[in-house]
Amino acid sequence: MNNREVAFYEFGPFRIDMRRYLLLRGDEHIPLSPKTLKTLLVLVERRGSVVKKDELLAVIWPDSFVEESNLAQNVFVLRKVLGEEKSEHRYIVTVPGVGYRFVAPVSEVERVAPPRAAPGALEETGAVISIAVLPFKSLSEEGGDAFLGMGLADALITRLSNLKRVAVRPTTSVMRYGEKTNDPAAIGRELNVGSVLDGIFQRGGDQIRVSVQLVRASDGATLWAAKFDESFTNIFAIQDSISEQVAVALALKLSGEEQSRLTKNYTENTDAFLLYIRGRYFWNLRTVEGLQKAIVYARQAIALDPTYAPAYVGMADSYNLLPGYGGHAPHESFPRAKAAAMQALEIDEALAEAYTSLGFVNYRYEWNWTEAERSFRRSIELKPNYATAHHWYGESLAAAARFDESLAMLTRARELDPLSLPINTDYAQTLFFTRRFVECEAHLRETLEMDERFVRAHIVRGTALEQMGKYEEAAAAFERAAELSGRNPFALSGLAHVYALAGKRRAAREILKHFEDAARERYVSGYNRAVVHIGLGEKEKAIAALEQGVPSRDVRLVWLDVNPRFDSLRDEPRFTDLLRIVGLRSQRPRRFDNS
């Protein structure tokens, strides 16, 4: 087999760098749109021959119908950048009514290409490429563009994650790198990726200028760089160009479907896009207030463009998470989440993120474990490197006591998003469910080193410490969680539980009374009251509180069959009935590794 490939095409003072997909004059990069550069490349590859217009149109716009004027504009731009005067024909000759011919002498510089992997050998050969897209930095001193920089990154993350051979670090992992002084290569090494996409932008009136570079993480070398000047209303064209050129710079061979999804714009409404990216920003904060704001912005985006499928996913995921953060009653939130996810799938039945949203509703609210698994698997099939799909699927497997599968799925989620606080916390939670309390607590200490203010990590760590009999340390963890969250009810119930175990029954009952008083005015999770009753040794009251959570579909009921706190109830018939109602007794038997 011939493993020699063209590295450069050289003509006059110009050369086309095939690895980086750039037109160069000396060391100067001449910016061209991907379609214009493709036009030049086709003419150069078929130099000396007349390339008919319809052939060029079919090669350059394979999935679209465009007018010949688009092709003529590309040739006009090429002649301009190559320095041809109107009457000159040093490079491109027009054959009237037929097409174009490239007439300049061309030299090919070859390089030896690595052997191609055998079909199906992607994993073994390391052909899956990892990349991080950093928040774009604004050159403006004003703060009005703060959301835009994160939004540009998020949009590119979404596009690039449609490529099955590319593992893109999710938005949650890159949000912390929004400062102007970051070193892209160092960040890439921290995120354990091969390359980093870094960009800056500047808005002036209706115009936007974007400069972007793809940097190799190992040594900081620039693999590709470009500048774009567009009207702000044409920001989607910039996203198209960056996505296409990054794919070329990474030497990816794309299928027609991948090429289509890489440049697919779910909306042409710039205002709707800006509202959507604001919502994504607040969703990623993972707070009650942030999730509520995310819903507002998603609704506003949908009002401007009712066919904007990702905005429906943004709404679905916000409603999905609100009950777990104490912000909504499940029976008020989850039906809205499902409706939004279903609407997204009506618009685009191949939208992987919508299947993940639906799977979360299936298992956390509807207790339909079979349908949840089908939804998660479909999402992973469509987008194998979507971390949230692996994360939430792993959670559902843990609830079903399929611990080995859960840990494998959550390990994959951690590989895709190693700095994710929720993923690392839920990995530790599965260790907790398998009674590996020491390992769980140690992992959570590492997680809190990434961000000491992450509330859920303190809560799960408190539960592990409590099971280890370290009541004082457990109470400190729950107190810290309550302090950080403004008295999160799950933090308070854990605190009351450990108070009861430590003999501080009066303090435990004070928190229980707080829940009972609050329940007269608003939804309060029966699970939280049950946790306190268990600590106090009141089995019947604990079961009654759990039963009260059935009509509202309390989000924590899915953990009943695996949570050590309820081990004392496992022989109680009413508790067994609860497990059947939630659908847990149809799952595999519980197995614990007590190592």
Side-chain angles (χ1 to χ4, degrees):
M1 180 180 292
N2 182 10
N3 284 332
R4 300 192 68 81
E5 295 182 0
V6 175
F8 298 97
Y9 288 105
E10 296 182 343
F11 48 92
F14 301 98
R15 58 184 173 144
I16 301 174
D17 184 332
M18 294 300 292
R19 182 174 65 86
R20 296 188 293 163
Y21 206 61
L22 301 176
L23 177 64
L24 304 168
R25 182 183 180 118
D27 293 329
E28 176 192 1
H29 166 226
I30 300 174
L32 291 174
S33 73
K35 301 296 186 187
T36 304
L37 185 55
K38 180 69 172 177
T39 304
L40 175 61
L41 184 57
V42 173
L43 293 174
V44 167
E45 289 176 334
R46 298 180 58 179
R47 54 195 175 276
S49 302
V50 177
V51 186
K52 295 181 180 180
K53 293 179 182 179
D54 58 352
E55 293 179 72
L56 283 166
L57 290 169
V59 171
I60 298 164
W61 291 277
D63 301 314
S64 307
F65 175 79
V66 297
E67 302 289 340
E68 282 188 14
S69 58
N70 295 82
L71 179 59
Q73 176 64 23
N74 281 4
V75 174
F76 171 79
V77 171
L78 288 173
R79 284 181 167 142
K80 185 175 180 180
V81 301
L82 295 175
E84 281 193 340
E85 299 294 336
K86 192 170 185 179
S87 58
E88 286 185 311
H89 302 291
R90 287 179 293 150
Y91 297 102
I92 301 174
V93 172
T94 300
V95 181
V98 181
Y100 304 94
R101 181 171 64 238
F102 194 86
V103 296
V106 177
S107 299
E108 295 183 1
V109 179
E110 294 184 334
R111 64 180 172 89
V112 177
R116 294 187 181 276
L122 283 180
E123 294 294 333
E124 292 76 9
T125 61
V128 175
I129 296 167
S130 56
I131 184 174
V133 182
L134 302 185
F136 283 39
K137 287 82 175 175
S138 174
L139 293 179
S140 171
E141 295 300 323
E142 300 177 6
D145 289 331
F147 296 106
L148 180 57
M150 190 66 254
L152 285 169
D154 186 77
L156 290 168
I157 288 168
T158 299
R159 287 168 180 255
L160 292 170
S161 63
N162 283 314
L163 307 180
K164 293 185 178 181
R165 283 186 53 198
V166 179
V168 190
R169 293 295 179 255
T171 304
T172 49
S173 277
V174 301
M175 283 182 68
R176 69 195 70 192
Y177 302 113
E179 299 299 324
K180 297 180 181 179
T181 56
N182 289 323
D183 174 7
I187 293 171
R189 292 190 291 272
E190 184 175 342
L191 290 170
N192 194 28
V193 294
S195 55
V196 174
L197 188 67
D198 189 34
I200 58 175
F201 69 97
Q202 186 171 21
R203 287 184 67 179
D206 294 331
Q207 296 297 119
I208 184 169
R209 168 174 290 180
V210 177
S211 298
V212 63
Q213 63 174 341
L214 184 66
V215 176
R216 188 163 55 213
S218 60
D219 59 5
T222 299
L223 303 175
W224 165 78
K227 292 182 180 179
F228 304 90
D229 288 282
E230 293 279 357
S231 66
F232 188 70
T233 55
N234 204 23
I235 194 170
F236 304 115
I238 296 177
Q239 295 174 19
D240 289 348
S241 295
I242 294 174
S243 301
E244 287 184 320
Q245 294 191 40
V246 166
V248 171
L250 295 174
L252 296 171
K253 302 292 186 182
L254 305 183
S255 66
E257 180 185 354
E258 285 184 314
Q259 182 67 43
S260 175
R261 296 194 75 82
L262 183 65
T263 57
K264 181 172 183 176
N265 293 315
Y266 285 94
T267 183
E268 298 299 327
N269 188 309
T270 307
D271 291 333
F273 169 73
L274 290 175
L275 289 165
Y276 165 73
I277 64 177
R278 281 178 176 261
R280 288 286 295 176
Y281 173 85
F282 283 110
W283 182 80
N284 279 308
L285 295 180
R286 293 297 211 280
T287 64
V288 171
E289 296 77 12
L291 294 170
Q292 290 170 337
K293 286 183 180 179
I295 290 170
V296 171
Y297 284 120
R299 281 192 182 132
Q300 292 176 354
I302 290 167
L304 291 177
D305 184 354
T307 65
Y308 195 1
Y312 288 99
V313 173
M315 179 178 289
D317 285 348
S318 298
Y319 275 123
N320 269 338
L321 294 186
L322 266 175
Y325 284 82
H328 267 193
H331 63 281
E332 295 173 352
S333 194
F334 280 109
R336 296 173 181 174
K338 183 175 183 178
M342 295 298 292
Q343 184 62 45
L345 289 172
E346 283 188 23
I347 298 167
D348 183 357
E349 64 178 1
L351 191 60
E353 294 85 348
Y355 286 103
T356 295
S357 305
L358 193 58
F360 195 85
V361 178
N362 292 151
Y363 100 88
R364 284 301 279 268
Y365 179 72
E366 295 183 339
W367 305 332
N368 188 336
W369 302 87
T370 301
E371 195 60 36
E373 186 156 20
R374 185 178 294 117
S375 295
F376 288 131
R377 286 186 174 276
R378 177 58 175 154
S379 179
I380 292 170
E381 176 188 0
L382 290 167
K383 187 174 284 193
N385 297 317
Y386 181 40
T388 303
H390 293 275
H391 176 196
W392 289 355
Y393 187 21
E395 272 192 0
S396 71
L397 291 167
R402 293 163 61 178
F403 299 124
D404 291 343
E405 295 169 88
S406 171
L407 289 171
M409 195 62 58
L410 289 166
T411 296
R412 180 58 181 151
R414 291 174 64 207
E415 291 170 352
L416 293 168
D417 192 0
L419 300 185
S420 168
L421 299 169
I423 290 173
N424 277 283
T425 299
D426 286 320
Y427 177 86
Q429 181 174 257
T430 298
L431 296 176
F432 172 77
F433 291 147
T434 62
R435 278 57 175 173
R436 292 153 67 178
F437 305 127
V438 174
E439 193 176 345
C440 166
E441 193 274 333
H443 185 80
L444 287 165
R445 273 190 279 110
E446 294 178 1
T447 301
L448 288 166
E449 286 178 5
M450 290 190 277
D451 185 351
E452 192 277 334
R453 298 182 62 82
F454 191 61
V455 172
R456 280 199 58 241
H458 285 289
I459 292 175
V460 179
R461 180 169 177 260
T463 60
L465 289 166
E466 135 208 320
Q467 293 296 317
M468 294 160 64
K470 297 183 178 182
Y471 299 142
E472 187 173 338
E473 291 180 60
F478 289 124
E479 286 167 354
R480 181 60 176 151
E483 175 192 351
L484 289 170
S485 63
R487 293 173 65 79
N488 176 288
F490 298 105
L492 290 179
S493 68
L495 183 59
H497 181 83
V498 79
Y499 279 164
L501 294 177
K504 299 178 181 179
R505 298 177 67 84
R506 178 177 295 180
R509 290 197 180 280
E510 286 177 1
I511 293 175
L512 182 61
K513 185 176 186 304
H514 163 75
F515 286 143
E516 292 169 346
D517 292 343
R520 299 188 183 98
E521 301 177 2
R522 57 182 172 82
Y523 171 80
V524 173
S525 168
Y527 177 96
N528 287 328
R529 299 198 304 277
V531 166
V532 185
H533 285 302
I534 281 290
L536 292 167
E538 299 169 347
K539 293 183 180 181
E540 291 297 318
K541 290 182 178 180
I543 293 175
L546 292 172
E547 289 171 338
Q548 290 171 17
V550 171
S552 63
R553 300 284 172 138
D554 197 312
V555 292
R556 294 299 197 275
L557 294 184
V558 295
W559 307 121
L560 289 183
D561 201 28
V562 295
N563 194 325
R565 283 172 165 171
F566 299 108
D567 283 351
S568 65
L569 301 181
R570 304 212 178 273
D571 294 329
E572 300 290 333
R574 288 167 62 195
F575 186 79
T576 303
D577 288 342
L578 273 174
L579 296 182
R580 291 197 182 96
I581 291 171
V582 180
L584 293 168
R585 279 298 159 128
S586 64
Q587 310 302 310
R588 297 183 184 180
R590 290 180 294 114
R591 294 178 290 106
F592 301 121
D593 180 352
N594 293 307
S595 59

